[in-house]
Every structure is written in structure tokens, then in C-alpha cells.
Amino acid sequence: MSRPDYLNSKPAESRVDSVVLEQPQNSAITADGRKVLRNTYMLLSMTLLFSAAVAGVSMAMNLPHPGFILTLVGYFGLLFAVHKTKDSAMGILSVFALTGFMGYTLGPILSMYASIPGGSGIIMNALGTTGLIFFGMSGWVLSTGKDLSGWGKTLMVGIITAFVLSLGAFFFEIPALGLAVSALFVILMSGLIAYETSNILHGGETNYIMATVSLYVSLYNLFVSLLQIFGVLGSDE
């Protein structure tokens, strides 16, 4: 006598199928994506060290800050150079030129905070928090394999909005607005770190030079925003 159909079924195969279906997020991560991420992290670490060295020299020489307008001109000019040379060896030089310039602009900012009571603690707290956020957001994406491509438009709109608000805070000298913009930038840059990491892993960004610039700018803005927030909180104590 033949057995009922449910006894003739193959539960082992069903279980295997269910396991495969439960892992759609990691399936899109390619070996090329991981290679781009490794190259990005390597170049990012070198540019961060170079930028920190330039900032240190800027502090030691007590160089003046170039100002808001000149900083924007220098940043966007060098960013354009990076974009034009991203597929050649000159792209590496352009990246170091950009990150070196940003390190120079950071030196006077650090000197200002170092000169106030408790300034060294503010700098270390901002630096430590920046590191925690970077490793936390990157680690979250790396461990889960999440595809965050849907975040792109939201982050872009948020960054443009925050940039416009920062211009208003600067030209109209509104400290409260400046502090709010800093808090907004902390949220946006944290999201951008996760988004860019996911974008690399899933093949959305295949050029490690541009990926390095994106992560560097996120870290720079995150650190400067945290400096302002901790500076205000420290002054209230």
C-alpha cells in the first residue's frame, strides 16, 4: 500500500529552500564589491593620516582659516578635479590634494577649540564619537548586508537642505540655527556612511577613489559638527 503524499515529501529540501529564501540581502554582495571596499578603506586610512598631518602643521604654524567662501571654492574646485581624474593615476593625487586642503582648513578650527578651557577634551570627545559612529554604521551594514540604495534621494535632499540652512546661519549669524544644522549634519553623515558602504558592497559605486572621497567628506563633516555640538555643551557647564 502506498504511503500518503505528505509522507513521501522531502522536508530536507524544503528546509534548504526556506533558508535560501531568507537570505536575499546578502546574495547581491559581490566579490568585486568587497574588493572595492578594501581598496576604499586602504586609501581612506592614508588620506585621513595625511589630512591629520596637514592639520597638525597648520596648527603648529598658526595658519589662519581661509574663510567660509574660500573653503567652499577650494573644496568644490578640488572635488571637480577628483571627478575628472578618477579613472587615472592623477585621481590619487587629486584625492590627496583635496584631503590635504581640508586638513589645512581643519587646523585653525582645532587651534580655536584647543585654546578654550576644556578644549582638548572637546576635541577628543568629538574624535572618539566620530570613530564610534563610523565603525558602528559600517559594521551594521557589513554584518547585515543591507541594501540601502533607497536612502539616496532622502540623503541628497537632506544634505542640500542642511547646506542651505548652514549658509543662512553663517550670513545671518544665528547660533541656534547653526547648532541645529550641526545636529542635522550628524544624522545625515551617519546615514551617508551606511549608505556609501552599502553602495560599494552592492556594486552601486565601483570607483574606490570616489568612494573614498564620499566617506572622507562624511567623516570630516561629522567631526566638525560634533566639535560644534560638544563645544556648545561644554560652554554651558
Side-chain angles (χ1 to χ4, degrees), residues 14-37:
S14 299
R15 288 195 297 270
V16 171
D17 291 341
S18 65
V19 171
V20 173
L21 292 174
E22 289 172 357
Q23 296 177 341
Q25 294 175 331
N26 294 329
S27 61
I29 298 177
T30 64
D32 287 341
R34 295 187 182 279
K35 180 180 179 180
V36 173
L37 188 66

Side-chain angles (χ1 to χ4, degrees), residues 48-231:
L48 287 173
L49 289 173
F50 178 68
S51 186
V54 174
V57 172
S58 179
M59 293 178 67
M61 298 180 65
N62 198 27
L63 297 177
H65 194 276
F68 186 75
I69 302 300
L70 187 56
T71 297
L72 288 180
V73 172
Y75 167 72
F76 284 110
L78 290 169
L79 184 62
F80 176 78
V82 171
H83 182 75
K84 295 295 289 185
T85 60
K86 63 181 180 180
D87 296 317
S88 66
M90 283 298 297
I92 302 294
L93 295 178
S94 298
V95 169
F96 278 97
L98 173 62
T99 56
F101 174 74
M102 299 309 291
Y104 156 60
T105 65
L106 186 60
I109 297 175
L110 294 176
S111 294
M112 180 189 69
Y113 280 99
S115 65
I116 65 176
S120 297
I122 291 172
I123 294 173
M124 294 307 298
N125 286 337
L127 184 62
T129 305
T130 299
L132 286 175
I133 291 175
F134 176 75
F135 288 114
M137 299 305 291
S138 298
W140 170 58
V141 174
L142 290 171
S143 62
T144 62
K146 283 187 174 296
D147 184 355
L148 304 179
S149 56
W151 288 20
K153 291 182 179 180
T154 301
L155 287 171
M156 181 60 66
V157 172
I159 291 170
I160 293 174
T161 302
F163 178 71
V164 172
L165 291 174
S166 68
L167 291 177
F170 174 78
F171 287 110
F172 294 104
E173 299 182 354
I174 309 175
L177 179 58
L179 184 61
V181 170
S182 294
L184 181 58
F185 262 115
V186 169
I187 297 172
L188 290 170
M189 294 303 106
S190 300
L192 188 58
I193 289 170
Y195 169 78
E196 189 61 35
T197 303
S198 173
N199 203 29
I200 296 168
L201 284 176
H202 293 277
E205 177 59 80
T206 58
N207 188 292
Y208 71 95
I209 289 179
M210 295 306 299
T212 297
V213 170
S214 179
L215 288 176
Y216 175 88
V217 171
S218 299
L219 289 169
Y220 181 95
N221 287 325
L222 179 60
F223 177 61
V224 172
S225 298
L226 287 170
L227 271 178
Q228 183 173 357
I229 292 173
F230 289 142

